[in-house]
Amino acid sequence: VAQTDMFTTCGRSSNTNRRRHGHGVTASYGEMCYHDNSLVSASLEALIQHLVPTVDYYPDRSYVFTFLLSSRLFLHPYELMTRVCHLCVEQQRSGDPWGVFQIRFREVAPKLVQLLTEWTETFPYDFRDERMMRCLKDMTHHVARGEEYSWRAMQQMTQRLIKRLSALGQYEEAVSALNAVAMERPASLKSKQASGQRSDVMSACDDPFVLAQQLTHIELDRLSFIGPEEFIQTFARKDPLENHKGFFRKRKTSNLEAYVNWFNRLSYLVATEICMPVKKKHRARIIEFFIDVAQECFNIGNFNSLMAIITGMNMSPVARLRKTWSKVNTDKFEILEHQMDPSSNFSNYRTALRGATQRSETAHSSQEKIVIPFFSLLIKDIYFLNEGCASSLTNGHINFEKLWELAKQVSEFLVWRQVICPFDRDRRILQYLVTTPVFSEDELHLASYESEGPENNMEKDSRRSLRSSLLHRENRS
Ligand SMILES: *[C@@H]1O[C@H](CO)[C@@H](O)[C@H](O)[C@H]1NC(C)=O
């Protein structure tokens, strides 16, 4: 430890030293600590200052991403934006005559535009806050006085942003409409009895490879709408941001949650499809089909669907169907389960994920580029990274090493998110996957007992109480 300390240097931000025209203000920007040329900690003030472009300075891209991503742990994006814009303008003023200020502002304006462009493109959802939009408009007016080129760039940026946000609004409406359809006709026990008529997954699609492709479409669609800040926003729950009214609060992590809901839905869909058929032979065929789908998901690099399918198969209403499972060749399934085995911190999966990531990096086709991580684990890793490490040091500095690490994990996700899904879309299959009704947990248990009767008294009791509560509910509706 003593040795590494030798390489740690603390000093004033180079940014503050550069400010030749400053008079007395430099001291308030605090200090920044570097280790091997990498920023390890600094005061919040210094970090904000470090983001502000000047005539001869522009922050490096990884810093911009990292700080825009994580600063929300400490202050609201709106506050950050106001301060950055204010500093950027005021620093050019520095007591000089108006004419000199204007010339210098004209020089810095393109850099401010560049910073705001990076912001709007990487974190567009920040601008669902009206105050952010207003600030952007104000800056457009400001820039307009300086220079035609920057003004045009601001206009274009704003248009792209509005387009992006409206696509997001449409996506959110579509997802909630689909969810409403899926809820509208809750899978009732009657459909279990009438399952001769109910269409099952294999009548929608009996080719495991095609089904895995359609699952991959859904995964990538939903991933593409998750904002990088949603990972961090989940930790900012307890902070004063919660008091803000308006768009921002409502929408903070909704796309991330919608994606997690999709995982749960897929697990329940798999379990429902297996528990539904009356005939054992039919149930066994569905299990084998899903094993093949899971295998195809693995081959594609779609670990999230793979894990959802395994989870569905391991739910107790499915796992208890001993007679059905005895008809299934489980060799392939055991290999897949081994890949996703949680022991040793999911080491098998992590190895497979690294393999897929390497393949993706050297890929020639978009199919080889696909990496869809097991999302709950990604969230858990980020969560523990946040929990296991303080954001602020005892001297009040922000622990920037932690922020680098958070940004590394989130930017990996951004690379995966970018992939264009190369497979043909099949609307009918997609529709089936996202809207077909699925059993609730209780309904699954009861359907499972209807398929293979209770094996002991506990199961008998359980069936009796499920019957009375579920049938009661059905009669009421
Ligand atoms: C599990 O592995 C990940 C990735 O290597 C790591 O970030 C995390 O801290 C590990 N968790 C535990 C509990 O060891």
Side-chain angles (χ1 to χ4, degrees):
V1 176
Q3 258 181 344
T4 58
D5 275 348
M6 292 193 334
F7 299 101
T8 304
T9 53
C10 283
R12 299 215 179 282
S13 152
S14 56
N15 196 5
T16 46
N17 290 338
R18 246 193 355 265
R19 297 178 59 256
R20 278 164 296 156
H21 300 277
H23 33 77
V25 272
T26 40
S28 68
Y29 293 126
E31 294 178 334
M32 306 187 87
C33 294
Y34 286 84
H35 178 81
D36 285 349
N37 276 335
S38 134
L39 178 60
V40 292
S41 73
S43 66
L44 182 59
E45 293 306 313
L47 291 173
I48 294 172
Q49 181 65 51
H50 200 54
L51 190 64
V52 177
T54 66
V55 173
D56 50 9
Y57 168 78
Y58 189 80
D60 74 65
R61 285 202 75 174
S62 61
Y63 178 78
V64 173
F65 175 73
T66 304
F67 193 56
L68 289 182
L69 175 73
S70 315
S71 58
R72 66 198 69 236
L73 289 170
F74 313 100
L75 80 172
H76 194 283
Y78 165 67
E79 210 181 324
L80 179 63
M81 183 165 170
T82 330
R83 288 174 67 179
V84 166
C85 289
H86 181 77
L87 283 168
C88 187
V89 176
E90 288 311 307
Q91 272 169 19
Q92 308 313 317
R93 223 184 286 275
S94 307
D96 286 317
W98 175 247
V100 180
F101 161 65
Q102 271 204 318
I103 291 166
R104 269 214 305 276
F105 184 66
R106 208 170 295 162
E107 279 179 64
V108 83
K111 290 181 175 169
L112 181 60
V113 174
Q114 188 186 337
L115 181 68
L116 293 174
T117 303
E118 286 187 47
W119 196 331
T120 54
E121 284 182 356
T122 320
F123 302 96
Y125 303 170
D126 282 351
F127 294 84
R128 296 189 107 176
D129 188 310
E130 297 147 32
R131 294 167 305 172
M132 293 285 283
M133 256 335 191
R134 222 176 305 129
C135 189
L136 202 59
K137 265 199 202 112
D138 289 348
M139 283 325 290
T140 308
H141 288 310
H142 222 94
V143 164
R145 274 186 269 146
E147 192 217 354
E148 171 84 12
Y149 174 81
S150 293
W151 176 74
R152 222 179 270 283
M154 286 290 280
Q155 295 281 46
Q156 282 164 0
M157 166 181 66
T158 308
Q159 274 161 17
R160 274 198 305 273
L161 175 64
I162 288 169
K163 231 162 122 184
R164 206 45 203 285
L165 291 179
S166 100
L168 173 68
Q170 282 169 12
Y171 163 78
E172 285 174 345
E173 274 171 29
V175 166
S176 75
L178 289 174
N179 289 345
V181 174
M183 298 297 287
E184 217 167 56
R185 309 163 287 142
S188 73
L189 293 168
K190 286 181 199 123
S191 55
K192 165 82 180 164
Q193 279 130 30
S195 64
Q197 290 92 50
R198 183 195 184 269
S199 66
D200 65 13
V201 64
M202 290 184 69
S203 62
C205 171
D206 61 4
D207 182 337
F209 186 42
V210 173
L211 196 75
Q213 292 178 349
Q214 303 309 309
L215 290 172
T216 304
H217 264 298
I218 297 171
E219 301 280 351
L220 285 171
D221 279 349
R222 301 210 170 186
L223 272 183
S224 73
F225 281 99
I226 298 173
E229 74 288 350
E230 292 190 45
F231 292 96
I232 305 302
Q233 215 90 261
T234 51
F235 312 133
R237 284 252 154 94
K238 287 167 295 206
D239 71 3
L241 308 196
E242 213 51 31
N243 299 328
H244 286 286
K245 295 224 161 46
F247 272 117
F248 194 62
R249 187 166 155 256
K250 231 178 15 221
R251 310 274 198 186
K252 267 202 225 169
T253 59
S254 61
N255 300 302
L256 192 142
E257 280 158 27
Y259 188 58
V260 172
N261 289 342
W262 153 249
F263 179 95
N264 293 334
R265 174 179 164 80
L266 181 54
S267 300
Y268 276 84
L269 175 67
V270 168
T272 301
E273 295 285 347
I274 295 169
C275 289
M276 187 84 84
V278 178
K279 292 205 177 87
K280 182 170 60 189
K281 205 175 79 184
H282 190 177
R283 290 193 299 272
R285 205 167 69 219
I286 302 264
I287 292 181
E288 284 181 337
F289 176 68
F290 275 119
I291 293 173
D292 289 340
V293 176
Q295 177 70 55
E296 296 296 350
C297 288
F298 180 82
N299 295 343
I300 290 173
N302 178 355
F303 296 105
N304 202 49
S305 294
L306 165 64
M307 195 58 176
I309 294 171
I310 292 176
T311 304
M313 302 246 221
N314 284 329
M315 286 168 78
S316 63
V318 178
R320 67 172 286 284
L321 300 171
R322 278 195 308 125
K323 291 179 194 138
T324 307
W325 279 98
S326 73
K327 298 270 168 218
V328 175
N329 177 353
T330 54
D331 294 351
K332 261 189 283 180
F333 186 58
E334 277 154 21
I335 294 170
L336 290 171
E337 266 194 313
H338 182 67
Q339 283 294 337
M340 302 306 279
D341 184 353
S343 59
S344 316
N345 192 9
F346 283 92
S347 68
N348 293 347
Y349 160 70
R350 291 187 196 277
T351 306
L353 181 66
R354 261 199 306 280
T357 307
Q358 276 158 13
R359 177 193 64 186
S360 172
E361 281 161 1
T362 58
H364 298 297
S365 67
S366 32
Q367 184 170 337
E368 290 173 326
K369 279 205 174 68
I370 299 171
V371 182
I372 301 169
F374 168 33
F375 198 67
S376 306
L377 188 63
L378 177 65
I379 295 178
K380 215 176 274 176
D381 283 348
I382 295 178
Y383 176 82
F384 281 112
L385 176 60
N386 183 59
E387 289 287 301
C389 190
S391 297
S392 301
L393 306 177
T394 46
N395 64 359
H397 275 194
I398 285 167
N399 176 2
F400 212 81
E401 279 178 300
K402 171 180 172 172
L403 305 193
W404 286 128
E405 200 54 45
L406 283 173
K408 200 173 96 190
Q409 301 232 5
V410 175
S411 56
E412 199 166 28
F413 157 81
L414 288 184
V415 174
W416 295 330
R417 191 187 70 164
Q418 273 173 1
V419 175
I420 306 293
C421 192
F423 309 120
D424 289 334
R425 270 178 201 273
D426 184 318
R427 305 233 156 251
R428 206 173 54 91
I429 302 173
L430 289 171
Q431 181 79 8
Y432 184 88
L433 289 171
V434 294
T435 64
T436 202
V438 297
F439 281 146
S440 68
E441 188 163 359
D442 282 354
E443 287 167 333
L444 272 177
H445 272 106
L446 193 49
S448 175
Y449 292 135
E450 309 266 316
S451 297
E452 290 187 21
E455 294 203 337
N456 52 44
N457 285 338
M458 205 182 72
E459 291 198 342
K460 274 186 199 143
D461 288 347
S462 156
R463 177 170 72 173
R464 195 174 315 120
S465 74
L466 285 170
R467 265 190 182 157
S468 70
S469 69
L470 288 175
L471 291 177
H472 182 64
R473 202 180 304 160
E474 220 162 83
N475 289 340
R476 261 185 324 186
S477 61

